[in-house]
């Protein structure tokens, strides 16, 4: 293989695909990136793959001789990152020894590669379901739910975010058993009507590991100006394809909990806070709450004011009066302040509506300006009063 | 105690003195800040002290009732930091229960303090040697040496930076046994002629722990516009006093190694690099060098070019040609690339002079534009060639 490329493009591609390289690879070749060069198209392709998440990107270069090799990811990344910006970088591979010679106008590096034959193939899904998704809708759905997924590996399906795609909408949901975030993004303008998708199935439901989604989020953010990303789904794999990138991730198998049945249909206690004001108060009260149980109490009995408070035995206590609108006599409820704050912080609406029944039954938070777009269910905490 | 102060001033003072609070205090009261309020002067004073480093600052407030109390540092810091900016904060202490009531216009916090009686006094040095130092000269001396001190606690005196003050100059030095950095800052304009200092002693030599110096560096940076800082030294303690801050630190006892005798008087191999170019090359070569021994080789035998290289067995090798000026036949020497880079990075001169004798004897780096201001001695590494 003999190629010449631009330092910036090479560096950008390496940083991108390195995100899919395992920090503690189970096999030496998984610490490497796969580099392939095609003389016919004058394109270089770079791949990183940890057997769960795979990222592939390609860019233009001068390819004097086609070939493929795998290169230690961390070493290549550090070398190319430190080469002078915007200068040509040449890379020659000696196929008999797998030695890689990297040359810039300043000097040269010799490093040892591993033949590409043993590098695992990315799971390309050629058949199965496919659809087009709008990057900004997908990002919005992701941002509003990903924080509610579980970080406890034993919780399996709950360590991912569930996506339901159909012709009318994209719905995403995440729960860790204590709270649930559900987002509904309208599909009318966002998704292309795809004939085979429409005819074959009504809904496509996949659960994607949160760990993969955090990388996918970064990659899609870079591409959010593009019109659409193609998504393929088959046999436990999802593949996202944009103009010059491919991201593959395994999915979490099993049927995701039927979360919609957890959300009560009717509520007897409905009250409204200014989102910014309740967040600021809760953040102050959290300083005390976090000293022990993270429990914050909300007491409604004074007209237009809620008493928000926390107690930490032997350390101290904190209380604030926060403006609130409600039309009932009185109501007391307590929450884990962290769960409450995480849900409130993704709500962009000026006001937030709290919907409750009893201090022991699930509460639901919705943005006042679009009550059907986002639902955040959180279990209250029972406290002795 | 009853005080009212401004959130911003209170917050700034807390963040400042918190730096002297131990992260793992040996006694509960050392996790607290000392707050004293004086109705006569309408001033509040805050103190943090980990028994090695002490920081005290004071600011104006409305003091309705004098008093003193110690308050959990982390809790106070988080509470005050989250209160609305630029608003008044009141703090009332109930002397019988040591309960502290912190009130802003939004709400209130009750936290438990510890009486101030058990809080250790800052070591005020009233007698002993005193002198005025210029903050910017002190910072310069610190920046050019602190990196060369040892982080190995068993190396005692070498875990600090040695300062020698006299009427003519300020000299600072640090070494970890592998390299030595020495700075000479001219005293002519920078220090006040202090009659008692001049008459009592010729030199004042103190070794201050690097850990304290890192905090002192930050504090002095905030004050570098001020004309001078007063320094007192006595009985294993140094006290820095600026307009409204006091910093105390214990010193490292014992006589600092006579480092000047380590620096050779004459050199037979003298060569000059462009500082920026040699740093950039070494940083690239370091990628390979750091894979194993961190050793970088410098080979001078081609007119005006040095071959800078590193080998990492089974991984690869790297080499670059770097412009150099020298007037001898040839010379090879090898260094730990990290030691070399750390010294080069504090040199602001366009060119740097390397002064050597043999590949096994100490090398000295000096800035070309002011060869007496900074001396960086580094031991070479012996390599089989």
């Amino acid at each position: 293989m003999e190629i010449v490329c631009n330092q910036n493009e090479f560096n950008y591609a390496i940083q991108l695909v390195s995100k899919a390289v395992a920090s503690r690879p189970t096999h030496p070749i998984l610490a490497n990136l796969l580099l392939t060069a095609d003389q016919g198209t004058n394109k270089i392709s770079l791949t990183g793959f940890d057997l769960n998440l795979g990222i592939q990107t390609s860019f233009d270069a001068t390819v004097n001789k086609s070939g493929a090799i795998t290169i230690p990811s961390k070493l290549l990344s550090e070398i190319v990152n430190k080469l002078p910006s915007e200068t040509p970088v040449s890379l020659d591979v000696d196929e008999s020894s797998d030695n890689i010679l990297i040359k810039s106008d300043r000097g040269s590096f010799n490093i040892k590669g591993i033949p590409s034959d043993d590098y695992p193939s990315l799971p390309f899904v050629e058949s199965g379901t496919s659809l087009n998704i709008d990057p900004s809708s997908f990002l919005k759905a992701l941002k509003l739910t990903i924080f509610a997924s579980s970080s406890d590996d034993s919780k399996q399906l709950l360590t991912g975010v569930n996506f339901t795609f159909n012709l009318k909408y994209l719905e995403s949901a995440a729960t860790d058993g204590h709270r649930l975030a559900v987002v509904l993004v309208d599909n009318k303008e966002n998704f292309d009507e795809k004939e085979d998708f429409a005819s074959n199935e009504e809904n496509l439901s996949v659960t994607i590991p949160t760990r993969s989604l955090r990388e996918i989020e970064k990659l899609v953010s870079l591409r959010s100006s593009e019109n659409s990303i193609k998504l393929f789904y088959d046999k436990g794999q999802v593949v996202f394809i944009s103009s010059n990138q491919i991201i593959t991730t395994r999915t979490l198998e099993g049927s995701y909990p039927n979360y919609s049945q957890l959300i009560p249909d009717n509520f007897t206690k409905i009250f409204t806070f200014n989102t910014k004001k309740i967040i600021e108060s809760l953040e102050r009260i959290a300083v005390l709450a976090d000293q022990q149980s993270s429990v914050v109490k909300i007491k409604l009995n004074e007209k237009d004011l809620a008493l928000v408070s926390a107690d930490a035995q032997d350390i101290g206590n904190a209380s604030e009066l926060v403006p609130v609108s409600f039309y009932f006599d009185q109501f007391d409820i307590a929450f884990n302040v962290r769960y409450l704050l995480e849900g409130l912080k993704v709500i962009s609406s000026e006001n937030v509506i709290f919907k409750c029944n009893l201090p022991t039954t699930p509460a639901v938070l919705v943005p006042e300006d679009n009550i059907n777009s986002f639902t955040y269910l959180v279990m209250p905490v029972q406290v002795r009063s």
Side-chain angles (χ1 to χ4, degrees), chain A:
Chain A
M1 182 162 67
E2 287 177 31
I3 57 174
V4 182
C5 62
N6 176 284
Q7 185 270 342
N8 282 43
E9 289 181 77
F10 197 19
N11 189 37
Y12 182 82
I14 293 167
Q15 310 308 327
L16 203 73
V17 302
S18 295
K19 300 204 163 61
V21 176
S23 49
R24 287 185 212 128
T26 50
H27 188 279
I29 205 167
L30 293 178
N32 285 16
L33 299 177
L34 173 67
L35 188 152
T36 62
D38 180 30
Q39 200 175 357
T41 57
N42 266 326
K43 279 206 179 271
I44 294 176
S45 155
L46 268 178
T47 307
F49 188 31
D50 66 5
L51 301 181
N52 287 317
L53 177 70
I55 305 174
Q56 186 172 92
T57 188
S58 62
F59 59 99
D60 294 328
T62 308
V63 180
N64 296 317
K65 194 177 159 199
S66 297
I69 187 77
T70 79
I71 312 175
S73 166
K74 208 157 165 285
L75 199 55
L76 181 68
S77 158
E78 287 181 27
I79 290 172
V80 176
N81 189 39
K82 291 207 167 74
L83 290 177
S85 192
E86 292 290 356
T87 57
V89 177
S90 80
L91 192 145
D92 295 0
V93 180
D94 175 0
E95 270 83 13
S96 62
S97 65
D98 302 314
N99 266 330
I100 302 154
L101 175 65
I102 302 168
K103 274 166 76 175
S104 75
D105 56 356
R106 295 300 181 84
S108 60
F109 293 82
N110 256 302
I111 58 176
K112 187 101 183 114
I114 303 178
S116 60
D117 313 346
D118 296 338
Y119 196 82
S121 302
L122 282 198
F124 282 111
V125 175
E126 312 228 344
S127 58
T129 311
S130 80
L131 71 158
N132 290 325
I133 55 175
D134 168 62
S136 60
S137 304
F138 179 72
L139 281 178
K140 186 186 167 196
L142 203 51
K143 177 177 162 277
L144 288 168
T145 51
I146 196 165
F147 69 92
S149 68
S150 176
S151 52
D152 174 356
D153 280 341
S154 72
K155 292 219 176 169
Q156 300 178 5
L157 267 172
L158 303 193
T159 61
V161 176
N162 180 255
F163 294 90
T164 306
F165 300 96
N166 77 10
L167 278 184
K168 299 208 189 81
Y169 59 83
L170 157 60
E171 184 171 295
S172 70
T175 177
D176 62 3
H178 304 289
R179 70 286 189 42
L180 162 73
V182 183
V183 177
L184 198 64
V185 182
D186 205 354
N187 188 6
K188 253 184 286 177
E189 310 169 297
N190 297 336
F191 305 100
D192 282 3
E193 299 214 10
K194 186 79 168 95
E195 33 334 294
D196 54 330
F197 172 58
S199 57
N200 289 347
E201 292 181 70
E202 201 166 62
N203 285 328
L204 164 60
S205 170
V206 287
T207 307
I208 302 178
T210 302
R211 219 168 288 166
S212 296
L213 285 170
R214 296 211 188 276
E215 295 308 330
I216 293 170
E217 189 179 14
K218 288 180 213 156
L219 292 169
V220 175
S221 299
L222 299 172
R223 302 272 147 201
S224 60
S225 57
E226 281 188 27
N227 285 331
S228 79
I229 292 175
K230 214 172 188 84
L231 181 148
F232 290 87
Y233 170 64
D234 198 15
K235 297 174 207 135
Q237 288 288 343
V238 171
V239 180
F240 297 84
I241 300 180
S242 66
S243 58
N244 55 2
Q245 273 168 37
I246 298 172
I247 309 169
T248 74
T249 171
R250 95 187 148 84
T251 59
L252 294 166
E253 292 303 290
S255 54
Y256 199 77
N258 182 3
Y259 53 81
S260 60
Q261 70 182 19
L262 301 173
I263 304 167
D265 293 324
N266 298 302
F267 298 93
T268 56
K269 311 284 181 189
I270 296 179
F271 46 103
T272 307
F273 285 106
N274 174 286
T275 313
K276 188 164 173 279
K277 281 192 181 146
I278 186 69
I279 289 176
E280 285 176 357
S281 283
L282 287 173
E283 286 199 320
R284 282 189 288 270
I285 301 297
V287 175
L288 256 289
D290 285 342
Q291 300 294 316
Q292 267 164 7
S293 55
S294 289
V295 172
V296 61
K297 287 182 265 187
I298 298 176
K299 201 179 185 78
L300 307 174
N301 62 1
E302 196 175 331
K303 191 86 193 112
D304 300 331
L305 285 175
L307 180 72
V308 179
S309 67
D311 274 300
Q313 217 187 342
D314 300 329
I315 297 170
N317 57 63
S319 64
E320 294 207 0
L321 290 169
V322 187
V324 67
S325 309
F326 66 100
Y327 304 97
F328 45 83
D329 268 2
Q330 65 162 69
F331 185 60
D332 288 8
I333 193 164
F335 296 101
N336 177 307
V337 69
R338 290 293 144 199
Y339 292 162
L340 217 49
L341 276 170
E342 285 181 12
L344 286 166
K345 280 183 183 173
V346 298
I347 291 177
S348 54
S349 157
E350 188 183 346
N351 296 313
V352 53
I353 304 173
F354 279 60
K355 305 197 278 189
C356 308
N357 286 305
L358 294 169
T360 52
T361 58
V364 165
L365 278 58
V366 295
E368 194 192 47
D369 65 0
N370 193 350
I371 56 168
N372 294 317
S373 65
F374 178 64
T375 303
Y376 186 62
L377 178 147
V378 55
M379 285 305 296
V381 180
Q382 279 177 269
V383 287
R384 271 165 262 132
S385 58

